């Protein structure tokens, strides 16, 4: 009986980590989609459809499954870059 529980552990832990990562990856995907749409609207007068948002969420979900240990670092680097860009934009407007 203990063997069966041990074999199911990695699948269960991956599913739990996937659900936990969706808590962070969905807002991250939405922010990336909004940022790209803002840049496209300002410079090229176009935008991305919401299908690209769904695709971005799916890419994050696949990365969360495949790169279990690396995925939190990927999200952290995205958030650091976003926050750095947002803070530097705020300081640039005062110059």
């Amino acid at each position: 009986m203990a063997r069966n529980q041990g074999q199911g552990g990695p699948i269960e832990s991956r599913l739990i980590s996937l659900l936990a990562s969706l808590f962070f990856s969905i807002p991250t995907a939405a922010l990336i989609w909004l940022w790209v749409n803002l840049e496209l609207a300002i410079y090229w007068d176009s935008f991305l459809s919401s299908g690209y948002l769904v695709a971005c969420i799916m890419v994050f979900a696949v990365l969360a499954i495949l790169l279990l240990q690396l995925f939190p670092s990927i999200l952290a680097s995205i958030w650091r870059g976003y926050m750095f860009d947002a803070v530097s934009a705020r300081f640039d407007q005062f110059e």
Side-chain angles (χ1 to χ4, degrees):
M1 193 76 161
R3 261 192 172 158
N4 290 339
Q5 290 176 352
Q7 290 175 352
I11 294 171
E12 291 170 352
S13 66
R14 283 187 184 264
L15 289 176
I16 290 171
S17 67
L18 174 64
L19 290 175
S21 72
L22 288 178
F23 180 74
F24 296 103
S25 64
I26 289 175
T28 304
L31 283 174
I32 290 172
W33 183 74
L34 286 172
W35 178 73
V36 169
N37 271 337
L38 176 68
E39 295 294 320
L40 286 173
I42 290 174
Y43 296 114
W44 288 291
D45 293 328
S46 64
F47 65 94
L48 297 175
S49 68
S50 59
Y52 288 98
L53 174 63
V54 173
C56 190
I57 291 171
M58 286 182 180
V59 166
F60 279 167
V62 168
L63 286 176
I65 291 171
L66 296 178
L67 305 172
L68 191 60
Q69 300 295 323
L70 186 62
F71 187 69
S73 300
I74 294 170
L75 282 181
S77 64
I78 290 171
W79 276 97
R80 269 185 250 134
Y82 175 76
M83 294 308 258
F84 177 75
D85 187 40
V87 169
S88 66
R90 291 289 180 198
F91 284 120
D92 288 343
Q93 78 182 17
F94 294 118
E95 291 180 359

